[in-house]
Amino acid sequence: MDAGTALFSSEEGFGTALGAVKAAMEAGGGKIYRKMDADASVFPATTGEFDLFLDFSTRWRNRYVSCTLEDAGMTPDGLHRYAAVFKQGDSSSRVRDYTLLTACVAIILVASVAPGVIRIVSGVLLLLLIAYVWISPSEKGQERVKDIISSLQQTSLPS
């Protein structure tokens, strides 16, 4: 999913700008890949074109940020302008999937054995809550992209 764009300027060329984006992406931890340096099997199938790919997954959730750096022309001052376009993605890990699935099965078993409408209604509400938690996007992933974008926008690269 599109996560935003950072516009910044530099007196230096594309390689230095790409290095600045890489440094901003590395700031919060995780593994950075350049597309040309890694095997394609490392990346999720839904990943499109990119220059840099950040994997900051945990055992609980898979989290990714990809970046494409584009030339955005020159400023009137003669500086190079660049646009870093970010896409963010996340998914549940197998540990998370199995844990939430086990919780759903346990709730269904308790609700089916326990008497009373209140227990069945509370079981349905708990199932809905688990479903919401299961499909909700990662807030940490969204915060990470905002941090990267703000750090790039606050800095013009020196010569």
Side-chain angles (χ1 to χ4, degrees), residues 64-97:
Y64 310 106
V65 175
S66 65
C67 175
T68 303
L69 186 63
E70 300 173 359
D71 187 353
M74 300 288 282
T75 66
D77 303 343
L79 296 174
H80 297 278
R81 291 203 36 105
Y82 296 100
V85 180
F86 295 96
K87 293 183 181 176
Q88 182 257 333
D90 65 81
S91 63
S92 291
S93 70
R94 289 186 185 200
V95 171
R96 185 173 189 247
D97 286 341

Side-chain angles (χ1 to χ4, degrees), residues 28-153:
K31 176 92 172 126
I32 295 276
Y33 298 96
R34 292 185 343 173
K35 188 167 189 170
M36 66 179 113
D37 294 341
D39 182 19
S41 65
V42 172
F43 311 116
T46 57
T47 306
E49 289 298 315
F50 64 90
D51 294 313
L52 296 171
F53 185 87
L54 171 64
D55 181 356
F56 59 110
S57 300
T58 63
R59 289 183 189 249
W60 191 247
R61 191 183 283 264
N62 302 315
R63 293 186 181 106
Y64 310 106
V65 175
S66 65
C67 175
T68 303
L69 186 63
E70 300 173 359
D71 187 353
M74 300 288 282
T75 66
D77 303 343
L79 296 174
H80 297 278
R81 291 203 36 105
Y82 296 100
V85 180
F86 295 96
K87 293 183 181 176
Q88 182 257 333
D90 65 81
S91 63
S92 291
S93 70
R94 289 186 185 200
V95 171
R96 185 173 189 247
D97 286 341
Y98 294 145
T99 302
L100 293 175
L101 185 60
T102 302
C104 288
V105 169
I107 290 169
I108 290 170
L109 289 174
V110 169
S112 66
V113 178
V117 175
I118 293 175
R119 289 189 176 133
I120 292 173
V121 170
S122 63
V124 169
L125 290 176
L126 281 172
L127 286 174
L128 290 174
L129 178 63
I130 288 174
Y132 173 76
V133 167
W134 206 334
I135 64 172
S136 296
S138 169
E139 290 180 18
K140 287 184 180 180
Q142 294 170 9
E143 291 171 11
R144 182 74 177 268
V145 173
K146 287 179 187 175
D147 292 343
I148 294 168
I149 289 173
S150 68
S151 71
L152 285 172
Q153 288 176 333

